[in-house]
Amino acid sequence: MKEKFMQLPVPLRKQILLRCAGAGLGAAMLLIVLIYSRDWRFMVPCAAVAALCLGSAAFLFDRCVRRKYVVITGICTVIERTPIRRRIKSIYLQTEEHQVRLVGARPIRNLVEGDTLNLYVAENTPVYNMDGCNVICNYITIERTLPTAKKEIQTQ
């Protein structure tokens, strides 16, 4: 199983480990409540968080091992932000064939237009067509790849 895990791409491994960490946190909260309180009204939510996170990690691991995901590589062309807090509202990616809009994108530090992004999406994720652009509302994870010029500078 460790060999299968190590063969997965780094962003997917990170997502699986984050979900396992959530399960560990839920289990730790359950133990603390069990030791100090022993009140089932507090134990049930902790157990639910642990079970939900562990199930999510197992489901994602299974999906990744069976290669039921798609990697979309594109260049970030437009970043729409909210007016007041400047959070990312949507990101436009230009791929080889289409323009893709990510709605509700999670925050990415120092993201600028022109960055190359790898988007990991489940095979059965719905893709909508709106105004000549493919809209994706849900994805597994997103990774910024460094351009070759930046990679050369960092290796020297």
PDB file of all heavy atoms in Angstrom, residues 57-70:
ATOM      1  N   ALA A  57     -10.650  10.388   3.071  1.00  0.00           N
ATOM      2  CA  ALA A  57      -9.271  10.044   2.699  1.00  0.00           C
ATOM      3  C   ALA A  57      -9.217   8.693   1.999  1.00  0.00           C
ATOM      4  O   ALA A  57      -8.515   8.534   0.991  1.00  0.00           O
ATOM      5  CB  ALA A  57      -8.382  10.040   3.936  1.00  0.00           C
ATOM      6  N   ALA A  58      -9.967   7.720   2.504  1.00  0.00           N
ATOM      7  CA  ALA A  58      -9.985   6.390   1.887  1.00  0.00           C
ATOM      8  C   ALA A  58     -10.598   6.447   0.486  1.00  0.00           C
ATOM      9  O   ALA A  58     -10.102   5.813  -0.455  1.00  0.00           O
ATOM     10  CB  ALA A  58     -10.758   5.411   2.767  1.00  0.00           C
ATOM     11  N   PHE A  59     -11.667   7.219   0.330  1.00  0.00           N
ATOM     12  CA  PHE A  59     -12.317   7.350  -0.970  1.00  0.00           C
ATOM     13  C   PHE A  59     -11.382   8.022  -1.971  1.00  0.00           C
ATOM     14  O   PHE A  59     -11.280   7.595  -3.124  1.00  0.00           O
ATOM     15  CB  PHE A  59     -13.621   8.138  -0.823  1.00  0.00           C
ATOM     16  CG  PHE A  59     -14.374   8.303  -2.098  1.00  0.00           C
ATOM     17  CD1 PHE A  59     -15.035   7.229  -2.672  1.00  0.00           C
ATOM     18  CD2 PHE A  59     -14.423   9.536  -2.730  1.00  0.00           C
ATOM     19  CE1 PHE A  59     -15.731   7.378  -3.854  1.00  0.00           C
ATOM     20  CE2 PHE A  59     -15.116   9.697  -3.909  1.00  0.00           C
ATOM     21  CZ  PHE A  59     -15.773   8.616  -4.477  1.00  0.00           C
ATOM     22  N   LEU A  60     -10.687   9.076  -1.554  1.00  0.00           N
ATOM     23  CA  LEU A  60      -9.753   9.761  -2.437  1.00  0.00           C
ATOM     24  C   LEU A  60      -8.571   8.861  -2.793  1.00  0.00           C
ATOM     25  O   LEU A  60      -8.128   8.833  -3.945  1.00  0.00           O
ATOM     26  CB  LEU A  60      -9.265  11.061  -1.799  1.00  0.00           C
ATOM     27  CG  LEU A  60      -8.289  11.888  -2.632  1.00  0.00           C
ATOM     28  CD1 LEU A  60      -8.903  12.273  -3.964  1.00  0.00           C
ATOM     29  CD2 LEU A  60      -7.855  13.119  -1.869  1.00  0.00           C
ATOM     30  N   PHE A  61      -8.051   8.116  -1.814  1.00  0.00           N
ATOM     31  CA  PHE A  61      -6.953   7.191  -2.100  1.00  0.00           C
ATOM     32  C   PHE A  61      -7.381   6.142  -3.122  1.00  0.00           C
ATOM     33  O   PHE A  61      -6.650   5.847  -4.070  1.00  0.00           O
ATOM     34  CB  PHE A  61      -6.487   6.520  -0.802  1.00  0.00           C
ATOM     35  CG  PHE A  61      -5.394   5.515  -1.007  1.00  0.00           C
ATOM     36  CD1 PHE A  61      -4.114   5.918  -1.328  1.00  0.00           C
ATOM     37  CD2 PHE A  61      -5.656   4.162  -0.905  1.00  0.00           C
ATOM     38  CE1 PHE A  61      -3.102   4.991  -1.531  1.00  0.00           C
ATOM     39  CE2 PHE A  61      -4.661   3.226  -1.099  1.00  0.00           C
ATOM     40  CZ  PHE A  61      -3.378   3.644  -1.419  1.00  0.00           C
ATOM     41  N   ASP A  62      -8.574   5.580  -2.948  1.00  0.00           N
ATOM     42  CA  ASP A  62      -9.077   4.579  -3.891  1.00  0.00           C
ATOM     43  C   ASP A  62      -9.232   5.179  -5.284  1.00  0.00           C
ATOM     44  O   ASP A  62      -8.868   4.555  -6.279  1.00  0.00           O
ATOM     45  CB  ASP A  62     -10.409   4.021  -3.385  1.00  0.00           C
ATOM     46  CG  ASP A  62     -10.979   2.978  -4.316  1.00  0.00           C
ATOM     47  OD1 ASP A  62     -10.250   2.017  -4.624  1.00  0.00           O
ATOM     48  OD2 ASP A  62     -12.149   3.135  -4.738  1.00  0.00           O
ATOM     49  N   ARG A  63      -9.774   6.379  -5.364  1.00  0.00           N
ATOM     50  CA  ARG A  63      -9.955   7.045  -6.661  1.00  0.00           C
ATOM     51  C   ARG A  63      -8.609   7.281  -7.336  1.00  0.00           C
ATOM     52  O   ARG A  63      -8.465   7.088  -8.541  1.00  0.00           O
ATOM     53  CB  ARG A  63     -10.674   8.370  -6.460  1.00  0.00           C
ATOM     54  CG  ARG A  63     -10.765   9.199  -7.724  1.00  0.00           C
ATOM     55  CD  ARG A  63     -11.621  10.384  -7.495  1.00  0.00           C
ATOM     56  NE  ARG A  63     -12.954   9.859  -7.273  1.00  0.00           N
ATOM     57  CZ  ARG A  63     -14.061  10.467  -7.648  1.00  0.00           C
ATOM     58  NH1 ARG A  63     -13.988  11.618  -8.227  1.00  0.00           N
ATOM     59  NH2 ARG A  63     -15.235   9.932  -7.419  1.00  0.00           N
ATOM     60  N   CYS A  64      -7.620   7.691  -6.560  1.00  0.00           N
ATOM     61  CA  CYS A  64      -6.300   7.971  -7.126  1.00  0.00           C
ATOM     62  C   CYS A  64      -5.585   6.705  -7.566  1.00  0.00           C
ATOM     63  O   CYS A  64      -4.916   6.703  -8.597  1.00  0.00           O
ATOM     64  CB  CYS A  64      -5.458   8.744  -6.116  1.00  0.00           C
ATOM     65  SG  CYS A  64      -6.073  10.389  -5.779  1.00  0.00           S
ATOM     66  N   VAL A  65      -5.715   5.637  -6.804  1.00  0.00           N
ATOM     67  CA  VAL A  65      -5.068   4.375  -7.171  1.00  0.00           C
ATOM     68  C   VAL A  65      -5.677   3.826  -8.461  1.00  0.00           C
ATOM     69  O   VAL A  65      -4.967   3.289  -9.319  1.00  0.00           O
ATOM     70  CB  VAL A  65      -5.181   3.356  -6.012  1.00  0.00           C
ATOM     71  CG1 VAL A  65      -4.828   1.962  -6.464  1.00  0.00           C
ATOM     72  CG2 VAL A  65      -4.275   3.783  -4.871  1.00  0.00           C
ATOM     73  N   ARG A  66      -6.997   3.975  -8.614  1.00  0.00           N
ATOM     74  CA  ARG A  66      -7.664   3.493  -9.825  1.00  0.00           C
ATOM     75  C   ARG A  66      -7.543   4.480 -10.987  1.00  0.00           C
ATOM     76  O   ARG A  66      -8.093   4.228 -12.060  1.00  0.00           O
ATOM     77  CB  ARG A  66      -9.141   3.208  -9.537  1.00  0.00           C
ATOM     78  CG  ARG A  66      -9.332   2.022  -8.619  1.00  0.00           C
ATOM     79  CD  ARG A  66     -10.783   1.654  -8.450  1.00  0.00           C
ATOM     80  NE  ARG A  66     -11.524   2.755  -7.817  1.00  0.00           N
ATOM     81  CZ  ARG A  66     -12.711   3.182  -8.231  1.00  0.00           C
ATOM     82  NH1 ARG A  66     -13.306   2.627  -9.247  1.00  0.00           N
ATOM     83  NH2 ARG A  66     -13.318   4.176  -7.608  1.00  0.00           N
ATOM     84  N   ARG A  67      -6.833   5.581 -10.793  1.00  0.00           N
ATOM     85  CA  ARG A  67      -6.606   6.603 -11.820  1.00  0.00           C
ATOM     86  C   ARG A  67      -7.919   7.179 -12.352  1.00  0.00           C
ATOM     87  O   ARG A  67      -8.078   7.397 -13.546  1.00  0.00           O
ATOM     88  CB  ARG A  67      -5.799   6.053 -12.983  1.00  0.00           C
ATOM     89  CG  ARG A  67      -4.485   5.446 -12.597  1.00  0.00           C
ATOM     90  CD  ARG A  67      -3.424   6.500 -12.560  1.00  0.00           C
ATOM     91  NE  ARG A  67      -2.117   5.880 -12.379  1.00  0.00           N
ATOM     92  CZ  ARG A  67      -1.270   6.275 -11.458  1.00  0.00           C
ATOM     93  NH1 ARG A  67      -1.574   7.254 -10.662  1.00  0.00           N
ATOM     94  NH2 ARG A  67      -0.104   5.698 -11.332  1.00  0.00           N
ATOM     95  N   LYS A  68      -8.839   7.475 -11.459  1.00  0.00           N
ATOM     96  CA  LYS A  68     -10.132   8.043 -11.821  1.00  0.00           C
ATOM     97  C   LYS A  68     -10.115   9.558 -11.662  1.00  0.00           C
ATOM     98  O   LYS A  68     -11.053  10.144 -11.137  1.00  0.00           O
ATOM     99  CB  LYS A  68     -11.248   7.429 -10.963  1.00  0.00           C
ATOM    100  CG  LYS A  68     -11.441   5.965 -11.158  1.00  0.00           C
ATOM    101  CD  LYS A  68     -12.055   5.705 -12.511  1.00  0.00           C
ATOM    102  CE  LYS A  68     -12.358   4.220 -12.660  1.00  0.00           C
ATOM    103  NZ  LYS A  68     -12.957   3.932 -13.933  1.00  0.00           N
ATOM    104  N   TYR A  69      -9.043  10.185 -12.097  1.00  0.00           N
ATOM    105  CA  TYR A  69      -8.924  11.634 -12.055  1.00  0.00           C
ATOM    106  C   TYR A  69      -8.286  12.119 -13.350  1.00  0.00           C
ATOM    107  O   TYR A  69      -7.673  11.344 -14.081  1.00  0.00           O
ATOM    108  CB  TYR A  69      -8.118  12.107 -10.850  1.00  0.00           C
ATOM    109  CG  TYR A  69      -6.683  11.650 -10.843  1.00  0.00           C
ATOM    110  CD1 TYR A  69      -5.690  12.420 -11.418  1.00  0.00           C
ATOM    111  CD2 TYR A  69      -6.314  10.449 -10.243  1.00  0.00           C
ATOM    112  CE1 TYR A  69      -4.368  12.012 -11.419  1.00  0.00           C
ATOM    113  CE2 TYR A  69      -5.005  10.023 -10.234  1.00  0.00           C
ATOM    114  CZ  TYR A  69      -4.037  10.809 -10.823  1.00  0.00           C
ATOM    115  OH  TYR A  69      -2.742  10.386 -10.824  1.00  0.00           O
ATOM    116  N   VAL A  70      -8.468  13.388 -13.631  1.00  0.00           N
ATOM    117  CA  VAL A  70      -7.937  14.006 -14.838  1.00  0.00           C
ATOM    118  C   VAL A  70      -7.082  15.192 -14.416  1.00  0.00           C
ATOM    119  O   VAL A  70      -7.453  15.924 -13.495  1.00  0.00           O
ATOM    120  CB  VAL A  70      -9.091  14.491 -15.753  1.00  0.00           C
ATOM    121  CG1 VAL A  70      -8.567  15.190 -16.986  1.00  0.00           C
ATOM    122  CG2 VAL A  70      -9.997  13.341 -16.126  1.00  0.00           C
TER     123      VAL A  70
END
